[in-house]
């Protein structure tokens, strides 16, 4: 076996250097592709979530109308509206939508929009719910519109739940 010397490097050294260079190029391209794939998957998830938020948000008016119908006694067992309401609520629940805003619940400025404060001392609680709020998972889709009061000596008989547009 005989080595030929070209300058300071042997042919074998030059080949090893080329293999090293190509290996580094392959590792770099592999890492770039993995990062690209992760970014695309993240973007697809974000787009899917945005689409879901858009569709579910547009359904909140219908949810308000269903709640008004329930309050007015229009949803009775065996009625077509009851069957529709049950199915509609199941769809919302299946998408991860939950309602919030119950009378007596502690006021949370991140979830509730208080349009009036009836006064009173103590922690603020919801005394009247004008419009329910909705979450999609951990995300607030719409704040509940409420009237609050201090928690001192609360009278449950004075509690109201109303639905407004």
């Amino acid at each position: 076996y005989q080595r030929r010397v070209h300058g300071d490097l042997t042919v074998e050294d030059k080949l090893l250097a080329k293999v090293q260079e190509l290996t580094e190029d392959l590792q770099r391209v592999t890492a770039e592709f993995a990062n690209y794939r992760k970014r695309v998957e993240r973007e697809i998830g974000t787009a899917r979530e945005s689409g879901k938020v858009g569709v579910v948000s547009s359904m909140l008016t219908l949810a308000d109308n269903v709640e008004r119908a329930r309050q007015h006694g229009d949803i009775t067992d065996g009625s077509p509206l009851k069957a529709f309401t049950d199915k509609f609520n199941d769809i919302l629940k299946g998408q991860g939508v939950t309602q919030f805003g119950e009378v007596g619940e502690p006021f949370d400025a991140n979830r509730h929009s208080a349009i009036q404060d009836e006064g009173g001392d103590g922690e603020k609680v919801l005394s009247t719910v004008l419009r329910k709020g909705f979450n999609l998972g951990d995300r607030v889709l719409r704040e509940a519109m409420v009237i609050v009061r201090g928690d001192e000596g609360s009278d449950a008989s004075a509690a109201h739940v109303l639905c407004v547009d």
Side-chain angles (χ1 to χ4, degrees):
Y1 175 71
Q2 189 180 28
R3 286 186 172 173
R4 283 194 244 159
V5 177
H6 293 278
D8 294 303
L9 298 176
T10 64
V11 172
E12 183 178 301
D13 290 338
K14 286 183 178 183
L15 289 174
L16 286 174
K18 187 65 173 176
V19 166
Q20 179 72 26
E21 178 187 337
L22 292 173
T23 301
E24 289 172 1
D25 287 347
L26 178 61
Q27 289 171 339
R28 187 174 27 263
V29 169
T30 301
E32 287 174 1
F33 180 72
N35 290 336
Y36 167 77
R37 188 178 70 236
K38 289 175 188 175
R39 187 179 71 246
V40 167
E41 288 171 357
R42 232 182 0 257
E43 289 172 357
I44 288 171
T46 300
R48 189 175 289 137
E49 186 68 20
S50 292
K52 187 176 182 179
V53 166
V55 169
V56 170
S57 293
S58 67
M59 296 171 71
L60 297 184
T61 302
L62 181 56
D64 291 337
N65 290 336
V66 166
E67 177 63 18
R68 276 191 285 283
R70 187 192 62 73
Q71 288 175 357
H72 290 264
D74 295 337
I75 300 174
T76 58
D77 286 335
S79 73
L81 192 53
K82 171 77 167 127
F84 168 81
T85 299
D86 291 345
K87 184 65 176 170
F88 177 71
N89 289 332
D90 288 346
I91 290 170
L92 289 179
K93 189 175 185 178
Q95 294 299 313
V97 176
T98 55
Q99 277 188 357
F100 63 89
E102 298 294 328
V103 171
E105 187 177 301
F107 175 74
D108 177 354
N110 295 317
R111 297 168 30 103
H112 305 115
S113 177
I115 62 167
Q116 183 179 346
D117 185 343
E118 296 175 332
D121 295 327
E123 180 183 3
K124 295 297 181 186
V125 295
L126 310 185
S127 62
T128 304
V129 177
L130 301 170
R131 186 179 69 194
K132 296 274 189 168
F134 290 90
N135 285 331
L136 179 59
D138 293 335
R139 181 178 182 171
V140 175
L141 291 177
R142 184 181 76 192
E143 296 175 337
M145 186 186 309
V146 300
I147 297 174
V148 297
R149 70 167 186 280
D151 194 21
E152 58 159 10
S154 61
D155 180 9
S157 65
H160 300 19
V161 176
L162 304 172
C163 247
V164 298
D165 283 324

